[in-house]
Amino acid sequence: MATPCCAAGFLIAPGNKHMLLQRSGARYYVSVKDGPLVSRHRPSVDVLFRSAARFAGANALGHHHDRHGDDGARGLGEMKGAGSFTIAQDEATSVVFGMPKEAITRGAAAKVVPLDFLATEIMRAGKR
């Protein structure tokens, strides 16, 4: 299947499909695939983060912002373990502190920052 919708440099997974980062030689690409529900979700952030850990490792950055549940916490931990820089949104600026809380509790976030500083941290990480 073709790469999903891209707006302002962000890819959005189509409903009911998983989005994965993959690599062919020195080139990264995104694929969209069917698959079972993961953490009760499809698309699942865990699927995307696990693929980023596997194919990009230290070349990737992962961040978790406010939402319900724990989807993505395991995958973010795998990214951190693979050398990725990982960030979670803090409780004070989260409307719903479910996903970032799980990531922080599991030790998956290397840094916890307010929403207003997420972009700054992402830009800083890109210069490392």
Side-chain angles (χ1 to χ4, degrees), residues 6 10 13 20 30 35-36 51 59 66 72 75 81 83 88-89 95 100 104 109-110 112 115-116 118 124 126:
C6 181
F10 292 94
L20 297 91
V30 171
S51 68
N59 294 319
D66 61 346
Q89 183 178 344
V95 175
I104 294 164
V112 179
L115 179 62
D116 292 348
L118 274 175
R124 231 182 245 152

Side-chain angles (χ1 to χ4, degrees), residues 61-66 76 85-97 100-101 103-104 108-125 128:
L61 178 143
H63 80 84
H64 238 311
H65 57 278
D66 61 346
L76 195 69
F85 182 63
T86 57
I87 309 169
Q89 183 178 344
D90 71 353
E91 183 174 13
T93 61
S94 294
V95 175
V96 179
F97 191 56
K101 179 181 180 183
I104 294 164
K111 195 154 193 178
V112 179
V113 298
L115 179 62
D116 292 348
F117 292 99
L118 274 175
T120 302
E121 288 301 323
I122 290 169
M123 296 299 291
R124 231 182 245 152
R128 294 179 189 174

Side-chain angles (χ1 to χ4, degrees), residues 36-114:
L37 295 174
V38 176
S39 300
R40 303 172 310 281
H41 301 281
R42 187 179 43 238
S44 167
V45 182
D46 269 328
V47 171
L48 176 61
F49 284 175
R50 284 179 177 148
S51 68
R54 179 177 176 199
F55 291 106
N59 294 319
L61 178 143
H63 80 84
H64 238 311
H65 57 278
D66 61 346
R67 297 237 357 232
H68 290 284
D70 64 356
D71 184 34
R74 285 182 192 90
L76 195 69
E78 288 183 31
M79 287 183 71
K80 184 178 176 189
S84 303
F85 182 63
T86 57
I87 309 169
Q89 183 178 344
D90 71 353
E91 183 174 13
T93 61
S94 294
V95 175
V96 179
F97 191 56
M99 288 182 177
K101 179 181 180 183
E102 284 296 319
I104 294 164
T105 300
R106 295 171 192 228
K111 195 154 193 178
V112 179
V113 298

